[in-house]
Amino acid sequence: MGLPVETGRARSVMALRAALICLAIMCPIAVGSMQRASSPAPAASAAQGAVTARVVAAANAFLATLSPDERAKGTFGFTSSQRTGWSNLPTGAFQRNGLRFGDMTSRQREAALALIAAALSREGYQKVTNIMNGDEVLKNARGGRTGGRPGAPGPGGAGGRGGGVRFGLDEYYIALLGTPSARDPWMIQFGGHHLAINVTVVGPNNVMTPSLPAAQPAKYTLNGQTIRPLGRENDKGFALINALGAAQQKQAVLAYQVTDLVLGPGADGKVIQPEGILASALDASQQGLLLDVVHEWVGILNDEAAAAKMAEIKANLPRTYFAWSGSTQNGGLAYYRIQGPTLVIEYAPQQGDLDHIHTIYRDPTNDYGAKLVTP
Amino acid sequence: MTVRSLSMSLAVLGVCLATAAPARAHRLDEYLQATRLSIDVERVSLEIDLTPGVAVAPEVFAWIDTNRDSQISAAEAEAYARQMLHSVALSVDDRTLPITLVEVDVPQFREMSLGVGSIRVRATASMPATDSGHHRISYLNTHRSESSVYLVNALVPADPRIQLGGQQRDYAQHGLRVEYTVIGDASWARTCSALIGLVMAGMLVFTRWPGIKQGFQPSSLSP
């Protein structure tokens, strides 16, 4: 008579035991996972590995053009403070470390540019050179130097060469952090006035956050061609805001002016509360326009790495915000921000000047490849 | 375009400047005051970066260099920061919070004169004991409003117990009002989870221990 009861008891004990084991294992895991970042490092493809091999080869070719002294000046430890030592400011206002283009031979310059070209996409490289050319235009428009009130003391000291800030192609710097490797982390740091490109390479993964592409003038003529280094960023932004319906615009447009970047240089690790309209409130066509805007920054990096990053951003689209401040008429003054779990983009005209644009591109979870580098 | 041809275009540039507008490289006649608020259960931290434009830098420097020796002493920097913070009002649920200066860093005049040097003010305010539930923080900065532009933003709280809600600003961003909610204590949740795990582990041991296990034998349940 007791057998069925006894068997039931035994089964209950077994079931209880199994449940306890599961709960004991799962409970801390579940709680722990809620405390951690939600986005794991993306998996890399074989094509990305091939890109890394190409970038490593270009980096080694550049290093081969340098003397021992130049190598010492242009290379740093991967974890050195140099990693965060970038700026959008011109020489004289900010002293960069690394090798200055104006001090390089033409062979060294070409090898340095070949390295930048290997790391970036064709369009990205063109954008970078358009920004640099714009600074040369700025230099010539200002007679080579500027800054400070009349009679103000020049920078001197560590900043340099006296007499205000300096613009132009000679004032771009390149530095390598760590040893170029297809396996171990290293970094390319390239920049000058209105440009900071930070490419961290970790195995097959290439990461380009944080980076700061900017432009002044925003429009100039070179060899008979009109160049707008950040023209697509402007036009696509306006196309997106104007593709929104009235109710959507009401959510997207901030009721206050934004006069500068919120998360510019020096704001590493900061995450502001997002605002604007969620991409989940956009239709498929509008989401496509949003992704097209985002690609203007993500697509500066080589195609393979950019494709992986875009896939990640697309997956996070329901949690991505688009915020706008200012005129919605193209040609007017406007600021915009796109912010998602792994993305911050800001586009900010400076001081009401449409001819002077600053932008920033960040990944709060993976700036400098933080997600990929084992501490 | 090849790398070489791009290099060439970089090298030969400088002849086509027809459309280059008169350039303004940096902030000129504005005093940019950018604030980030970090909200915690026990305090609010303020990161305030003050960047005078080229045209206003001498005036700002003069505000700080009160003894006119062209140097900013630690005492002058601190005095200016305190004066600046007197123009800042902070409250939680309409209760004013006293603000304490933590540190101030003033750049050299050379940097300020180029329109790129930022005065960094760091301050904090202790929160009154707040219950879980809905709260509101208000921040207002009226320092030197005649020549200033403002940015103010709330950082995503590091403490998972705090969730920010709606934000409201005036057009010029003098002020920010942030709604937020204090939810259950995350550390309590972690402790609770650990305790539950321990209890479960104890019960597992109990069920597997032969002496005790005997008590669960079907035979012992028989009358």
Side-chain angles (χ1 to χ4, degrees):
Chain A
M1 292 296 291
L3 189 60
V5 173
E6 290 166 1
T7 303
R9 293 256 182 194
R11 281 181 183 155
S12 297
V13 169
M14 293 287 284
L16 174 63
R17 191 177 295 162
L20 288 172
I21 290 170
C22 283
L23 280 169
I25 293 170
M26 294 306 296
C27 192
I29 290 175
V31 171
S33 68
M34 284 188 285
Q35 308 293 324
R36 287 192 289 272
S38 58
S39 50
S45 68
Q48 288 174 260
V51 171
T52 289
R54 198 171 68 217
V55 177
V56 169
N60 286 327
F62 169 61
L63 289 173
T65 67
L66 305 179
S67 69
D69 285 349
E70 289 166 335
R71 274 195 184 216
K73 194 174 180 185
T75 56
F76 302 84
F78 177 70
T79 57
S80 73
S81 60
Q82 176 63 24
R83 184 156 55 166
T84 57
W86 54 272
S87 171
N88 60 304
L89 298 172
T91 307
F94 180 84
Q95 183 55 51
R96 287 173 180 78
N97 295 314
L99 294 170
R100 178 178 171 266
F101 264 40
D103 297 331
M104 291 184 192
T105 65
S106 59
R107 180 165 163 260
Q108 289 171 332
R109 273 195 189 211
E110 285 187 12
L113 287 171
L115 169 57
I116 303 306
L120 305 186
S121 68
R122 184 184 174 85
E123 294 77 15
Y125 183 65
Q126 184 68 61
K127 189 172 293 186
V128 162
T129 53
N130 285 345
I131 289 168
M132 295 167 69
N133 283 339
D135 206 53
E136 186 75 7
V137 169
L138 187 67
K139 168 187 163 185
N140 289 314
R142 308 201 70 169
R145 290 179 177 178
T146 188
R149 60 188 166 82
R161 300 156 203 264
V165 294
R166 292 183 303 282
F167 301 133
L169 297 172
D170 284 348
E171 300 301 333
Y172 286 83
Y173 286 70
I174 188 166
L176 299 185
L177 287 74
T179 303
S181 165
R183 189 190 64 189
D184 298 325
W186 62 287
M187 183 175 160
I188 305 163
Q189 194 172 67
F190 178 65
H193 186 215
H194 283 146
L195 182 68
I197 297 291
N198 298 302
V199 177
T200 305
V201 181
V202 188
N205 297 288
N206 291 194
V207 175
M208 205 196 73
T209 49
S211 284
L212 189 156
Q216 185 191 26
K219 182 180 177 182
Y220 61 90
T221 302
L222 174 63
N223 298 332
Q225 276 193 312
T226 299
I227 308 290
R228 298 169 68 214
L230 301 177
R232 289 198 300 270
E233 288 80 349
N234 175 84
D235 297 346
K236 289 181 178 181
F238 277 102
L240 173 58
I241 191 68
N242 284 297
L244 303 186
Q248 291 173 315
Q249 275 198 5
K250 195 174 177 186
Q251 291 181 67
V253 176
L254 306 172
Y256 56 89
Q257 67 171 359
V258 185
T259 58
D260 209 334
L261 298 175
V262 176
L263 296 171
D268 290 346
K270 310 289 183 189
V271 183
I272 59 170
Q273 182 70 0
E275 293 176 281
I277 187 170
L278 264 173
S280 57
L282 308 181
D283 65 28
S285 167
Q286 294 163 337
Q287 289 181 351
L289 290 173
L290 176 62
L291 289 170
D292 202 25
V293 178
V294 169
H295 191 265
E296 284 301 325
W297 281 268
V298 177
I300 294 173
L301 191 56
N302 60 73
D303 295 339
E304 292 78 2
K309 183 66 183 174
M310 286 303 295
E312 178 192 77
I313 290 167
K314 198 170 179 181
N316 285 323
L317 209 52
R319 293 187 289 159
T320 300
Y321 290 79
F322 173 58
W324 185 275
S325 171
S327 169
T328 56
Q329 298 293 316
N330 197 348
L333 199 66
Y335 160 97
Y336 65 83
R337 182 192 310 143
I338 301 169
Q339 185 176 355
T342 63
L343 174 72
V344 175
I345 287 171
E346 290 184 89
Y347 176 95
Q350 299 293 291
Q351 282 206 289
D353 187 355
L354 289 169
D355 207 36
H356 186 182
I357 311 296
H358 286 186
T359 82
I360 189 81
Y361 167 42
R362 289 184 176 277
D363 176 347
T365 69
N366 202 27
D367 278 351
Y368 310 105
K371 213 156 53 177
L372 304 163
V373 178
T374 308
Chain B
M1 188 177 280
T2 64
V3 171
R4 182 176 292 276
S5 65
L6 277 171
S7 301
M8 288 297 290
S9 76
L10 290 170
V12 301
L13 185 81
V15 292
C16 303
L17 311 174
T19 59
R24 297 194 300 167
H26 309 293
R27 199 156 288 284
L28 292 177
D29 56 356
E30 294 172 343
Y31 191 23
L32 175 64
Q33 303 189 32
T35 302
R36 292 186 289 259
L37 283 88
S38 182
I39 302 169
D40 200 344
V41 171
E42 294 174 344
R43 71 183 59 82
V44 181
S45 301
L46 303 176
E47 301 173 2
I48 305 173
D49 292 340
L50 309 166
T51 310
V54 171
V56 298
E59 186 182 6
V60 172
F61 195 86
W63 295 339
I64 308 171
D65 181 26
T66 50
N67 67 1
R68 301 290 184 266
D69 68 350
S70 299
Q71 301 289 325
I72 303 294
S73 67
E76 286 172 328
E78 185 178 328
Y80 176 70
R82 292 189 189 285
Q83 179 195 339
M84 186 271 153
L85 290 173
H86 279 137
S87 304
V88 172
L90 187 66
S91 66
V92 60
D93 299 334
D94 298 324
R95 290 176 61 182
T96 300
L97 300 183
I99 300 172
T100 303
L101 175 66
V102 175
E103 66 174 329
V104 57
D105 179 38
V106 178
Q108 299 293 317
F109 176 71
R110 174 178 63 84
E111 294 172 61
M112 287 171 64
S113 69
L114 297 170
V116 298
S118 293
I119 301 161
R120 290 157 37 91
V121 178
R122 300 295 179 259
T124 189
S126 295
M127 285 277 214
T130 48
D131 300 325
S132 60
H134 185 75
H135 298 281
R136 182 177 65 245
I137 279 186
S138 297
Y139 170 88
L140 181 65
N141 176 7
T142 55
H143 180 63
R144 299 289 181 181
S145 58
E146 71 282 358
S147 56
S148 297
V149 292
Y150 301 85
L151 295 172
V152 56
N153 284 274
L155 296 174
V156 171
D159 189 331
R161 288 174 293 176
I162 298 177
Q163 293 187 347
L164 302 190
Q167 302 179 67
Q168 283 188 307
R169 295 169 178 81
D170 61 303
Y171 181 74
Q173 295 202 62
H174 285 281
L176 170 68
R177 191 167 71 183
V178 185
E179 313 286 335
Y180 69 98
T181 304
V182 178
I183 57 174
D185 189 332
S187 60
W188 180 86
R190 280 195 298 272
T191 306
C192 216
S193 126
L195 281 173
I196 290 169
L198 278 173
V199 169
M200 288 175 180
M203 288 177 73
L204 275 173
V205 170
F206 181 74
T207 59
R208 291 177 69 87
W209 188 24
I212 301 298
K213 193 177 173 183
Q214 188 65 32
F216 284 90
Q217 288 299 312
S219 57
S220 68
L221 294 173
S222 300

